[in-house]
Amino acid sequence: MSNKESGYVYILTNPSFREDWVKIGKSSRPVNIRSKELDNTAVPLPFEIFATMKTIKYNEVEKLVHKTIDRLTDLRIRQNREFFNVAPQVALDIFYDIAKTVDDAEVILYEGNKPVVETKCGESNKREVKRPRFKFSMCGIKIGESVTFNPTGTIVKVATDDSIEYEGRIYKLSPFVGTYMPEEQRNTSGAYQGAKFFSYKGKVLDDIRKENEQ
């Protein structure tokens, strides 16, 4: 096989294992095929794909992942096997660290054996998890302070950590945007990320939040 073809290094978990056992191996073919092959009589339940890394250096990367885990401690369950006594998240962190140094590496996370999100590793090594819902405390804004609804310039009061008060009624941010967004600025989906439409002291809440998260 030519060196130029990509392959996969994978982290598999198995419901019949303890929580902190994973199988880390490699495959020149898409991993869902490989995980079915592994589903044999030796294992009571099918493997589940936790994450994969796609790269042309998959042979080297697999060795490096194994070696990195071996350095941490003697975590191989049997010396010659691809099974390790390590939490899947720890294995994933190692994936990310290695992916940063491999030009073409792409880490793909799975849920229910389906890819969730693809993050090109150079850009972001944060696991793409849904961001927690917006709260004013993320921006250092206290209850009772005022924020501005940008599309109309309306000033509203912060009622709780995640709601505002306007004309005696309490609203969460997104429904407020949906209700008061001027007709010509509406989007087709009718779904709005509330924090992008309000500002505090001239700065958009979502931007303040991002700065604070850095």
Side-chain angles (χ1 to χ4, degrees):
M1 183 175 142
S2 85
N3 269 350
K4 289 290 163 267
E5 283 183 51
S6 292
Y8 300 83
V9 186
Y10 53 76
I11 303 170
L12 300 181
T13 55
N14 193 301
S16 57
F17 288 0
R18 294 180 359 193
E19 311 262 281
D20 53 353
W21 281 26
V22 292
K23 178 174 169 63
I24 298 168
K26 65 182 180 199
S27 172
S28 56
R29 286 161 310 156
V31 180
N32 46 7
I33 300 172
R34 177 81 181 120
S35 67
K36 288 202 178 66
E37 283 171 12
L38 293 167
D39 188 9
N40 59 24
T41 49
V43 184
L45 292 164
F47 280 97
E48 287 167 12
I49 305 166
F50 185 74
T52 64
M53 191 195 310
K54 184 181 179 185
T55 166
I56 54 176
K57 294 186 173 168
Y58 65 100
N59 286 310
E60 295 88 333
V61 167
E62 186 217 26
K63 285 196 187 76
L64 191 53
V65 174
H66 287 181
K67 210 168 172 179
T68 307
I69 296 177
D70 281 342
R71 272 201 201 109
L72 289 173
T73 162
D74 188 18
L75 292 172
R76 279 197 202 218
I77 292 161
R78 292 210 296 259
Q79 272 314 310
N80 61 336
R81 309 289 280 187
E82 299 172 346
F83 292 101
F84 295 88
N85 181 10
V86 56
Q89 193 59 52
V90 172
L92 180 65
D93 287 344
I94 292 169
F95 261 36
Y96 278 136
D97 286 344
I98 293 171
K100 279 188 218 156
T101 66
V102 179
D103 288 342
D104 70 329
E106 192 176 357
V107 175
I108 300 165
L109 298 165
Y110 282 73
E111 258 168 43
N113 281 334
K114 294 195 173 49
V116 188
V117 276
E118 307 197 358
T119 51
K120 282 274 187 294
C121 280
E123 290 157 23
S124 152
N125 136 49
K126 288 194 180 66
R127 191 159 181 198
E128 292 274 326
V129 178
K130 273 182 96 152
R131 284 168 92 202
R133 283 180 181 285
F134 176 84
K135 291 191 168 40
F136 285 105
S137 52
M138 293 170 173
C139 299
I141 299 170
K142 297 181 178 58
I143 291 167
E145 292 197 80
S146 297
V147 293
T148 305
F149 178 50
N150 298 331
T152 58
T154 308
I155 293 174
V156 296
K157 213 162 94 174
V158 177
T160 71
D161 204 9
D162 65 352
S163 69
I164 51 178
E165 183 188 339
Y166 178 61
E167 293 184 339
R169 292 188 58 188
I170 303 287
Y171 298 86
K172 300 272 195 225
L173 295 187
S174 298
F176 183 93
V177 179
T179 308
Y180 291 101
M181 179 65 97
E183 205 51 55
E184 68 280 3
Q185 292 182 48
R186 291 182 171 277
N187 64 27
T188 46
S189 73
Y192 300 93
Q193 272 184 296
K196 292 189 166 155
F197 297 93
F198 290 86
S199 58
Y200 175 69
K201 296 184 175 167
K203 284 187 86 167
V204 174
L205 299 186
D206 195 52
D207 294 340
I208 303 174
R209 173 190 183 167
K210 281 184 187 137
E211 281 170 23
N212 291 346
E213 279 175 344
Q214 307 266 291

